[in-house]
Amino acid sequence: MTSPYQIDIVRPDELGASERALWTDIVRDDPAYASPYFRPEFALAAGKVAPHARVAVMHRAGQIAGFLPFQRRGRLLQPIAAPLNDYHGVIARPGEGPGLDEARGLMGASKAQVAGWVGSDAPGPRLVERTCLLAHAPDGWDAYMAERRREHGKYFKNKDRSRRAFERDCGTPAFRFADRSPELLDRLIELKREQYRRTRRHDVFACGWTRDLLAALLEAGEGEFGAGLSVMEWEGETVALTYGLWAGERYHFWFPTFAPRFGRFGTGGVLTEETIRWGAGRGLRSFDFGFAGESYKKYFCNGSQSVLEGEVEEPGWRAAASRALDALDRRPDSALARIRASARRRFAVIDACETTPWARLAGTAAAAAAFARRSEAAA
């Protein structure tokens, strides 16, 4: 069946003022697009540094029906700036944009990979539902923290003890928010790369352009859309760090990390608490913690959003082979299913980061070795 959509492919900086204004109006009017990743400012920053970053402007009946920011890796379609893109989808009024597989076909891609897809698509064998956790503070900091302490009093009493222990052993820490210094960004990346080495995960910053993206977002300034670093320091030494991205009333925690020697004080949780306090004071009302998983998130969060993760493929033998593998284990919570899902995520990250054959080969070999070790442990 012929699609009713026609598309124009442009670089993000080639969008006209009226197109950017329409994009902004769509995301402001629809709570599903509250995340700063949906803003045109994010796509513009990504377009400066992310390899093969483009926007599909989708037309229907002579009118713009929506926008899809994306990047290409051969015939593979990914969200723009993947893997540094936690939410994505067709930016369109309700019911006006195509679904993921139709978008893939319009773009002439053999496969589309997504990690946090928001749209009308339904979960299926290749698209699974995942939960992202949110801390809502509609009435400000005091009301939010009072509600959280009623729900999880023991956890936050432990956080209070952690603060006192830090002050007893080290001294009073200092906090800074919305910091945009290149030196602090470099320290964040240094700590994250150390963490990737310890956990044997693919280093998303080894390719270079991902660091440039975080730097470009910092240059967006502070306003309705912006980015900055929150830092907890002691005597000039970095104790804990997180990168934050915000738009409207939504803040997104990104790349939280801490110096290992301070880990016993629970400094990451302390910085999280102080960042929410700061954000609520400047009018932010929702704080996004990303995918559920790490246990600390449930204590801060009182809301959630469902997204889809996975891939869709054009009909053919590859798609048939994927369906056959899915049929081997239909239990999404089984050890095998979890390992396969983890492997898909790792390989998708490598495909997104690396643009040369040798880099992809090296990353794939390392991920395959890690996958084999986990498979043996689960057997």
Side-chain angles (χ1 to χ4, degrees):
M1 184 174 66
T2 303
S3 173
Y5 299 97
Q6 297 80 43
I7 61 171
D8 292 327
I9 306 296
V10 300
R11 296 194 311 271
D13 62 1
E14 292 176 327
L15 291 168
S18 62
E19 292 168 319
R20 293 196 298 271
L22 174 60
W23 185 332
T24 300
D25 287 344
I26 292 171
V27 297
R28 279 178 178 161
D29 292 343
D30 192 335
Y33 299 132
S35 171
Y37 293 99
F38 286 116
R39 292 293 179 122
E41 293 93 336
F42 181 83
L44 286 166
K48 296 176 182 178
V49 299
H52 313 299
R54 297 291 186 272
V55 174
V57 184
M58 300 183 172
H59 300 265
R60 185 173 184 174
Q63 301 293 321
I64 294 178
F67 305 89
L68 177 61
F70 71 96
Q71 65 190 27
R72 295 292 294 258
R73 299 291 183 262
R75 293 194 66 204
L76 173 64
L77 183 71
Q78 293 182 321
I80 195 170
L84 304 193
N85 185 333
D86 288 359
Y87 290 93
H88 32 271
V90 175
I91 313 298
R93 303 287 185 191
E96 292 187 9
L100 177 58
D101 196 44
E102 186 176 1
R104 176 203 58 76
L106 284 167
M107 313 293 283
S110 60
K111 180 190 291 188
Q113 289 176 337
V114 293
W117 183 261
V118 175
S120 59
D121 302 81
R126 306 298 289 173
L127 282 176
V128 299
E129 193 171 59
R130 296 190 70 188
T131 299
C132 296
L133 295 179
L134 297 153
H136 294 304
D139 300 316
W141 164 257
D142 290 338
Y144 161 77
M145 184 46 60
E147 181 263 329
R148 289 288 84 199
R149 285 180 178 269
R150 286 193 300 270
E151 187 75 17
H152 299 290
K154 182 178 179 181
Y155 176 83
F156 287 101
K157 286 180 181 177
N158 287 338
K159 289 294 103 182
D160 294 340
R161 282 193 287 269
S162 294
R163 287 172 181 263
R164 291 193 295 270
F166 186 93
E167 291 174 356
R168 182 192 66 236
D169 294 358
C170 301
T172 303
F175 296 92
R176 285 185 286 123
F177 307 98
D179 190 293
R180 298 182 181 85
S181 65
E183 295 79 14
L184 195 58
L185 175 60
D186 288 340
R187 179 56 177 154
L188 173 76
I189 292 173
E190 178 186 8
L191 288 170
K192 291 304 292 187
R193 296 191 73 179
E194 290 173 0
Q195 179 184 342
Y196 295 141
R197 285 191 289 270
R198 289 196 307 270
T199 58
R200 296 183 178 180
R201 300 188 70 85
H202 186 74
D203 182 352
V204 302
F205 292 112
C207 59
W209 69 263
T210 45
R211 190 268 180 207
D212 294 340
L213 174 62
L214 298 189
L217 289 166
L218 292 179
E219 294 173 0
E222 184 175 356
E224 184 176 348
F225 177 94
L229 294 125
S230 296
V231 57
M232 177 180 178
E233 293 179 320
W234 171 66
E235 295 188 349
E237 183 177 357
T238 298
V239 175
L241 268 171
T242 188
Y243 192 106
L245 194 64
W246 60 82
E249 295 185 343
R250 181 96 155 238
Y251 180 97
H252 190 95
F253 283 99
W254 213 10
F255 295 110
T257 189
F258 59 88
R261 82 183 192 93
F262 296 107
R264 69 185 188 278
F265 296 111
T267 53
V270 172
L271 180 60
T272 297
E273 195 171 333
E274 290 301 318
T275 301
I276 296 175
R277 187 200 303 269
W278 164 81
R282 68 185 303 279
L284 296 165
R285 293 295 179 256
S286 290
F287 299 83
D288 195 324
F289 284 70
F291 290 130
E294 294 90 341
S295 60
Y296 79 94
K297 295 180 180 181
K298 67 182 179 183
Y299 301 109
F300 287 97
C301 295
N302 53 11
S304 63
Q305 178 176 355
S306 294
V307 298
L308 295 177
E309 177 191 66
E311 55 193 31
V312 295
E313 295 180 88
E314 66 181 355
W317 70 268
R318 294 181 185 274
S322 295
R323 288 194 298 271
L325 283 172
D326 291 334
L328 293 176
D329 189 351
R330 296 183 180 276
R331 298 168 299 163
D333 59 342
S334 71
L336 177 59
R338 290 195 298 270
I339 291 172
R340 289 181 60 223
S342 176
R344 280 197 296 266
R345 290 174 196 138
R346 290 193 180 211
F347 293 134
V349 166
I350 295 164
D351 285 335
C353 289
E354 310 302 342
T355 58
T356 67
W358 287 114
R360 284 196 295 271
L361 180 62
T364 300
F371 174 63
R373 285 192 294 270
R374 290 188 63 188
S375 298
E376 290 174 1

